[in-house]
Amino acid sequence: MQLLNLEHMTQTIEYSLIEMDIVAGLKKGNEVLAQIHKEMSVEAVEKLMDDTADAIAYQNEIDEAISGRITADDMEDIVAELDAILHEQLGEAPRVPDSLPAESVELPNVPDRPLPAHEAVQSSKSKNRQRLEEPMPA
């Protein structure tokens, strides 16, 4: 019986120590939360959220302005401005002829037999092939 009482008392002490650790942890947690609340007020958070909403609204306005709502007149003005910039940077481009010239152009004659260099390469390839096909001396 005394052994059971001793065991029960040991368990009660261990449980009380655990409870003390829990209470100390809660106390420390409350202190940290209080410090955070001092640094961050509800008004500051609301102002931050309002500023963020304003920034998002402003970005949406910019997106709508750029989103491709260009009229035909605007497109003509843009193309004209681009042409002016290109003309300024590149100068006058050479004129491209509308059609091919009427007179015939004389081209050089094309050889009707293989070129000598080609024949020399072919003959050296043939010699190499023959050497590879010959049986090797033992």
Side-chain angles (χ1 to χ4, degrees):
M1 182 72 169
Q2 290 178 346
L3 187 59
L4 288 175
N5 286 339
L6 184 59
E7 189 175 315
H8 179 63
M9 188 170 25
T10 306
Q11 288 176 353
T12 305
I13 292 171
E14 287 176 355
Y15 185 72
S16 297
L17 290 173
I18 291 172
E19 285 178 336
M20 283 179 43
D21 287 343
I22 291 172
V23 170
L26 288 172
K27 182 178 177 184
K28 184 67 175 173
N30 283 335
E31 290 172 1
V32 171
L33 281 174
Q35 186 178 2
I36 290 172
H37 289 152
K38 286 179 186 176
E39 294 177 14
M40 181 176 61
S41 67
V42 174
E43 294 82 18
V45 171
E46 288 176 351
K47 182 178 180 335
L48 179 63
M49 295 302 290
D50 289 341
D51 291 346
T52 302
D54 291 343
I56 291 171
Y58 183 74
Q59 184 62 44
N60 288 338
E61 288 178 25
I62 291 173
D63 290 345
E64 286 178 21
I66 315 177
S67 68
R69 297 182 181 164
I70 298 176
T71 64
D73 293 335
D74 291 338
M75 185 55 81
E76 288 177 12
D77 292 342
I78 290 170
V79 170
E81 184 177 349
L82 177 62
D83 288 342
I85 291 171
L86 289 175
H87 181 71
E88 178 183 306
Q89 290 180 352
L90 302 176
E92 189 64 34
R95 187 175 125 2
V96 177
D98 295 331
S99 62
L100 295 174
E103 71 272 356
S104 64
V105 178
E106 189 173 329
L107 297 174
N109 292 331
V110 178
D112 56 355
R113 60 184 177 80
L115 298 175
H118 184 68
E119 290 174 2
V121 169
Q122 289 291 4
S123 65
S124 69
K125 284 183 181 178
S126 297
K127 288 178 185 177
N128 287 337
R129 188 175 298 131
Q130 288 174 356
R131 282 189 209 143
L132 290 174
E133 292 173 357
E134 291 176 5
M136 295 179 81

